[in-house]
Amino acid sequence: IACLLPSATDICVALGLSDQIVGVTHECDIEAVRRSQSKDSNGNATTSKIRILTKSGLDPNNSNTQAEIDEQVKQAASSNSPNDINSIYPILEDEFHIAKPTIVLTQNLCSVCAPSIHDVEVLVGERDDDDVKILSLDPHSLLDVAETFVKVAKLCGVEERGQAMKDEFITNLELVSKTVNMAEKKVEGKVKKQVLLLEWIDPPYDAGHWIPDMIEATGCSVLRIKPTTKSKRITWDNIYAKDPD
């Protein structure tokens, strides 16, 4: 399994698939994978070496501000060349081919957040290997996130583990909501806090996708500047006008 986004690596570890992981991104918790792999009597992993399959396309030697990073990302995203977008999170082709994954987990939710399914399809096409299976994880809601557990597990042959993981996730989420509701009933006249979560500061971007679901689960009201599923750029004037708590 090649995991091309950190959440995919975390899901595989939780599903007990660490021994099948042959490659991860430079942002993944590789130590968590190693800790959960099978070991011999000497404590050494009995599985293949885990290869780092990506790197940052931004110069790590530059002390880029958030505004400068945002500008680089925008320039790449607005380019007509897919290679410019891919350069933000380039896949290390040699390492990918050496790893020889038969399952690749990627995403198509954000073109500038991680390698996209397009990047993977190009690399797999170069190998001319029809046996490689590609799964794009594109959840939009918190329940969609839970469903990705099942999708990954089914593709990897452990569907029952994925269903159990999904059920536990939803049970815990319902428990949080129930606890919050019970606490609210004890406070007469309680007004829900208006919460705005920013995933980027300069310029500000409000968080989208499953983040509003997480906020609502805590008993707060979600303050969205623009009612859309995706994260959107906003202004500090917008934020001031909304007056979040």
Side-chain angles (χ1 to χ4, degrees):
I1 305 172
C3 301
L4 295 183
L5 65 162
S7 61
T9 299
D10 294 342
I11 290 171
C12 286
V13 170
L15 289 171
L17 297 170
S18 296
D19 285 349
Q20 283 72 55
I21 297 177
V22 296
V24 297
T25 76
H26 65 289
E27 295 180 322
C28 292
D29 187 356
I30 191 171
E31 292 305 319
V33 181
R34 288 171 175 159
R35 285 194 300 269
S36 56
Q37 286 185 317
S38 299
K39 306 290 193 303
D40 60 22
S41 58
N42 295 318
N44 299 314
T46 59
T47 52
S48 302
K49 174 183 177 181
I50 305 173
R51 298 187 175 277
I52 303 299
L53 304 179
T54 66
K55 66 177 182 179
S56 173
L58 301 177
D59 187 351
N61 296 316
N62 288 341
S63 298
N64 293 311
T65 65
Q66 284 205 349
E68 290 169 343
I69 293 173
D70 179 70
E71 186 60 33
Q72 292 180 55
V73 170
K74 284 194 300 184
Q75 289 178 1
S78 63
S79 170
N80 292 324
S81 171
N83 289 331
D84 287 340
I85 298 178
N86 298 349
S87 67
I88 298 174
Y89 286 99
I91 299 175
L92 303 177
E93 297 185 19
D94 290 344
E95 293 296 306
F96 184 88
H97 292 313
I98 292 172
K100 296 181 179 178
T102 55
I103 293 176
V104 183
L105 304 179
T106 184
Q107 61 86 47
N108 205 35
L109 202 64
C110 172
S111 63
V112 298
C113 299
S116 70
I117 190 171
H118 170 77
D119 307 355
V120 178
E121 288 173 341
V122 170
L123 282 179
V124 171
E126 291 175 356
R127 280 175 55 183
D128 194 25
D129 191 344
D130 294 333
D131 293 330
V132 177
K133 299 175 182 178
I134 304 172
L135 176 61
S136 179
L137 304 177
D138 307 314
H140 293 282
S141 68
L142 208 49
L143 292 181
D144 288 345
V145 171
E147 190 61 38
T148 63
F149 308 156
V150 180
K151 292 179 179 179
V152 172
K154 184 175 182 179
L155 184 63
C156 297
V158 291
E159 185 174 0
E160 69 287 349
R161 297 184 200 172
Q163 188 61 52
M165 186 173 162
K166 173 186 175 181
D167 292 344
E168 181 181 12
F169 179 89
I170 292 176
T171 297
N172 289 337
L173 183 62
E174 290 174 344
L175 179 59
V176 170
S177 296
K178 182 179 179 180
T179 303
V180 168
N181 290 333
M182 290 176 60
E184 288 178 339
K185 290 179 181 178
K186 294 180 179 180
V187 182
E188 187 176 349
K190 178 178 173 60
V191 178
K192 290 186 176 182
K193 295 293 185 181
Q194 300 286 314
V195 176
L196 172 68
L197 192 150
L198 300 180
E199 63 177 39
W200 200 258
I201 301 298
D202 187 15
Y205 280 79
D206 65 342
H209 301 299
W210 54 87
I211 300 298
D213 293 345
M214 295 173 67
I215 294 173
E216 289 181 343
T218 67
C220 296
S221 294
V222 181
L223 232 180
R224 296 298 305 278
I225 305 301
K226 297 181 179 180
T228 176
T229 57
K230 293 185 178 181
S231 172
K232 289 291 185 180
R233 179 176 176 174
I234 56 180
T235 68
W236 289 108
D237 286 339
N238 295 149
I239 296 171
Y240 181 80
K242 287 287 186 177
D243 191 26
D245 295 314

